[in-house]
Amino acid sequence: MKDFYITTAIPFVNARPHVGFAQEIIQTDALARYHRLFGRDVRFLTGSDENALKNVQTAEKEGITTAELVARNAKFFAAMHDYLSLSNDDFIRTSSEQRHRRGAEKLWTACFNNGDIYKKRYQGLYCVGCEKFYVPDELVDGKCPDHDTVPEMIEEENYIFRLSKYQEKLEQLIESDTYQVVPKFRKNEVLTFVRSGLQDFSVSRPIQRAKGWGIPVPGDSSQVIYVWFDALSNYINALGYADEGDLYTKYWVECPERVHVIGKDIIRFHAVYWPAMLMSAKVPLPHRLLTHGFITIEGQKISKSLGNVINPEALSAKYGTDQLRYFLLSEISTTADGDFSYARMEQRINSDLANDYGNLASRVFKMVESYCQGAIPKAGKVEGSDEELKSQALALGEKVRAQVGQFDLNQAIVSVLELVKLTNRYVESSAPWRLFKEGNQERINTVLYNAAEALRIASILLSPVMPGKCRDLLAKLGIEEEGITLANAQKWGLMKPGQKISAGEPLFPRIEKNNHKRDKKMEEEKKQETVESEQGTASSVQPAEELIDIDQFKKIKLRTGDIISAEKVPNADKLLRLQVKLGQETRQVLAGIAQWYTPESLVGQQVVIVANLKPARMRGLESQGMLLAAQDQEGVVILTPQRKTESGSEVR
């Protein structure tokens, strides 16, 4: 069994958690749970970063001590364990735990003794929000690119770390993927920064500017350790680096895979500063750095001033923990920016969870109750559709393992939902209700056994995403906790005939539209009726649809295509500009789906394109095809093949 160590970044605790950090910690938790499912010995760490100057400033505004502020707010982050169903093994606090203080001091001393820390006067533009210095070229209109504030010019005597000494080594490590930065475009950003020339950076602050808060520099009580030098060491301090204990040896020194999950705004600290510090201290480096993007709220950056900060605890209470986890993991790209909207969340819960996964569970349970006396039947003679379902189900485990290994949680979920949809179609085409009327009990038994097996496998492979609901469903199928493993998801026939099951309440009740939305829709319909009446077109008799013959239909060329990039069209609220690969060619397609899809959520998806449509111009851009989509009361859904095909395949 291979060990696996994974961490989140530890957030500043000057405020409560928001949905952006919830996304990061849920991503990390899902990865930890998947690797446990794969049979690995996993250690998962999170915590709170408490020695920042911004915590001091927030405490002063509130009129309390910094210690009181961080103790209060750290509890809010620790509480995420329960309401987000997290499985972290540890939670470290950087201001109050001796294991962290002693570890930070040890790392500092090791770098100092290696000749990589020296003292001199330092001058730079400092953003308290980021807790870092900027050079003028990095600012946007003279302001911090992340916080839109003007940095303060600081000049003081500090301790400096010789980052420039490690430029060549860092470039080699990152370029060779010895320290792998994911995704690749983030790796390229880091390499560009390293190759531009690394400058030594300040790693301490005068105790006066820190207001006495922080870990004192070993041997110099007039300075405190810079918060990022202090905070980054939490990853090894939580394992007992100070004493080099068993956990440190097992999960750091000897561990074959050490992974950090972070946001894109702190990539420089983790991809450049952290490995340089570890090399200086003669400590093994992490292996992989997964960098995710930012969440916007209905197209806007999360901001207290805009009043759009969303409390993940409130979301969990309103929609359910597993529903929230599913939405953030399936809708928001693992590595790119994504958008959160209540409408989109409710749509995904209804379509994916209530209509697809929940519906499959309900119909299997109810039909076993109705046609098999509430007990799992014994399968009989195998037919062609049975083999197809079995083959798809047995291949799914390895497929999901490969996708998770590449940090592609979005696609792993899509793959499992493909099996769910296939099983729904299998049940529909087999029609146990018709077989019951015909008296064909043997075929009913085979169909329902196979559907229950596929449901078991899908639920095992979705359990890291929705640990509560999936385990409840598996328990109803008679699957014990020890049976929830990848190995068992790769076997067919583990359901025991005779196992009693009971449907109970729906797994995912549909979310009804809010009253104000219904009122708005009714108002719009009333306006439309008025317009039609005034134009003399209102009628209770609907005109017949114009029919076309087969020869006319054959003129339409439909092909599958892979979306390789997507972006919003400037000054067009509804339009997205897609680059779609159709075999050997790439086409630009404009689609009015921005209300329902973010650009990031579309990249990598396979779609169906009308390939022989005359090019049309919109907003000064040429569209070289049309995306197929369906629309109902819940909105627009793009049409995708049942399984991925070779790009450019003809649709018949």
Side-chain angles (χ1 to χ4, degrees), residues 17 46-48 73-83 86 88 91:
T46 187
S48 53
N73 288 356
K75 291 180 181 178
F76 297 137
F77 285 87
M80 299 177 85
H81 178 278
D82 293 333
Y83 68 77
L86 304 178
N88 53 293
F91 184 97

Side-chain angles (χ1 to χ4, degrees), residues 514-528 595:
N514 294 330
N515 289 334
H516 72 273
K517 291 184 180 179
R518 286 200 296 269
D519 293 343
K520 184 176 181 181
K521 186 173 185 294
M522 290 173 63
E523 183 180 336
E524 290 173 350
E525 289 174 346
K526 187 176 291 185
K527 287 180 180 178
Q528 182 63 29
Q595 181 180 349

Side-chain angles (χ1 to χ4, degrees), residues 565-576:
S565 73
E567 61 182 350
K568 290 185 177 180
V569 175
N571 302 316
D573 295 337
K574 297 180 181 180
L575 278 183
L576 293 181

Side-chain angles (χ1 to χ4, degrees), residues 493-542:
L494 296 188
M495 289 295 302
K496 298 177 182 177
Q499 170 71 44
K500 288 288 185 179
I501 65 173
S502 177
E505 296 297 318
L507 196 65
F508 296 101
R510 286 182 58 81
I511 298 172
E512 297 301 326
K513 294 295 182 183
N514 294 330
N515 289 334
H516 72 273
K517 291 184 180 179
R518 286 200 296 269
D519 293 343
K520 184 176 181 181
K521 186 173 185 294
M522 290 173 63
E523 183 180 336
E524 290 173 350
E525 289 174 346
K526 187 176 291 185
K527 287 180 180 178
Q528 182 63 29
E529 289 174 2
T530 302
V531 170
E532 291 174 344
S533 177
E534 290 173 351
Q535 294 175 343
T537 59
S539 173
S540 59
V541 179
Q542 296 296 320

Side-chain angles (χ1 to χ4, degrees), residues 95-388:
S95 73
S96 60
E97 298 190 37
Q98 283 300 309
R99 60 175 174 166
H100 178 73
R101 177 179 291 257
R102 292 176 58 235
E105 292 171 343
K106 179 177 180 177
L107 184 70
W108 174 282
T109 301
C111 294
F112 184 85
N113 290 343
N114 195 38
D116 289 335
I117 294 179
Y118 60 96
K119 198 173 188 180
K120 77 165 198 175
R121 292 201 68 79
Y122 192 87
Q123 180 177 330
L125 295 164
Y126 193 74
C127 172
V128 174
C130 301
E131 293 282 6
K132 72 177 181 181
F133 283 100
Y134 282 97
V135 297
D137 289 347
E138 295 176 307
L139 302 179
V140 178
D141 296 327
K143 296 180 179 180
C144 167
D146 290 329
H147 294 91
D148 198 33
T149 56
V150 178
E152 181 183 359
M153 177 59 73
I154 299 293
E155 182 177 358
E156 57 197 13
E157 188 173 46
N158 293 331
Y159 286 93
I160 311 298
F161 179 79
R162 296 186 193 277
L163 182 64
S164 57
K165 172 181 173 180
Y166 294 94
Q167 177 167 335
E168 186 176 336
K169 289 182 180 178
L170 284 167
E171 183 176 349
Q172 292 171 351
L173 283 167
I174 295 166
E175 189 170 37
S176 66
D177 286 338
T178 303
Y179 183 26
Q180 184 185 25
V181 178
V182 179
K184 191 172 181 179
F185 70 87
R186 297 290 179 206
K187 168 185 172 178
N188 293 336
E189 288 176 5
V190 172
L191 284 172
T192 298
F193 174 72
V194 172
R195 289 165 179 163
S196 69
L198 296 180
Q199 304 297 316
D200 296 353
F201 70 101
S202 169
V203 290
S204 74
R205 302 288 179 266
I207 197 166
Q208 295 86 353
R209 187 155 73 87
K211 307 293 178 67
W213 185 253
I215 299 175
V217 167
D220 188 349
S221 59
S222 70
Q223 298 264 326
V224 296
I225 298 175
Y226 173 42
V227 64
W228 277 104
F229 194 104
D230 148 17
L232 291 166
S233 66
N234 92 90
Y235 303 129
I236 55 177
N237 296 340
L239 298 173
Y241 164 66
D243 300 314
E244 301 191 15
D246 293 342
L247 286 178
Y248 174 71
T249 300
K250 178 179 174 64
Y251 291 107
W252 195 267
V253 177
E254 297 176 355
C255 186
E257 193 166 3
R258 304 180 285 268
V259 178
H260 297 315
V261 181
I262 65 160
K264 66 179 183 179
D265 56 329
I266 55 175
I267 189 170
R268 185 182 304 179
F269 299 104
H270 287 80
V272 181
Y273 295 1
W274 177 229
M277 290 154 50
L278 292 174
M279 283 189 284
S280 175
K282 306 296 191 294
V283 173
L285 305 186
H287 296 106
R288 306 177 80 187
L289 181 68
L290 171 61
T291 308
H292 63 79
F294 286 160
I295 290 183
T296 55
I297 306 298
E298 297 183 344
Q300 293 183 309
K301 183 177 179 180
I302 297 176
S303 168
K304 291 179 184 178
S305 60
L306 293 174
N308 65 349
V309 175
I310 296 178
N311 181 351
E313 186 172 10
L315 280 178
S316 176
K318 181 176 181 179
Y319 294 106
T321 296
D322 286 310
Q323 290 91 324
L324 173 60
R325 288 173 62 101
Y326 179 85
F327 178 75
L328 291 178
L329 292 173
S330 62
E331 177 75 8
I332 309 296
S333 168
T334 310
T335 56
D337 293 346
D339 190 64
F340 176 93
S341 77
Y342 289 98
R344 184 63 180 151
M345 182 171 181
E346 292 178 2
Q347 181 185 348
R348 289 297 294 267
I349 290 172
N350 282 344
S351 62
D352 294 8
L353 300 183
N355 292 356
D356 290 336
Y357 182 53
N359 181 51
L360 175 62
S362 293
R363 70 197 313 191
V364 168
F365 281 116
K366 288 177 181 177
M367 285 190 288
V368 168
E369 284 184 338
S370 299
Y371 306 141
C372 304
Q373 294 77 51
I376 295 293
K378 183 178 180 180
K381 183 181 177 181
V382 175
E383 297 184 4
S385 60
D386 305 334
E387 288 292 352
E388 180 191 3

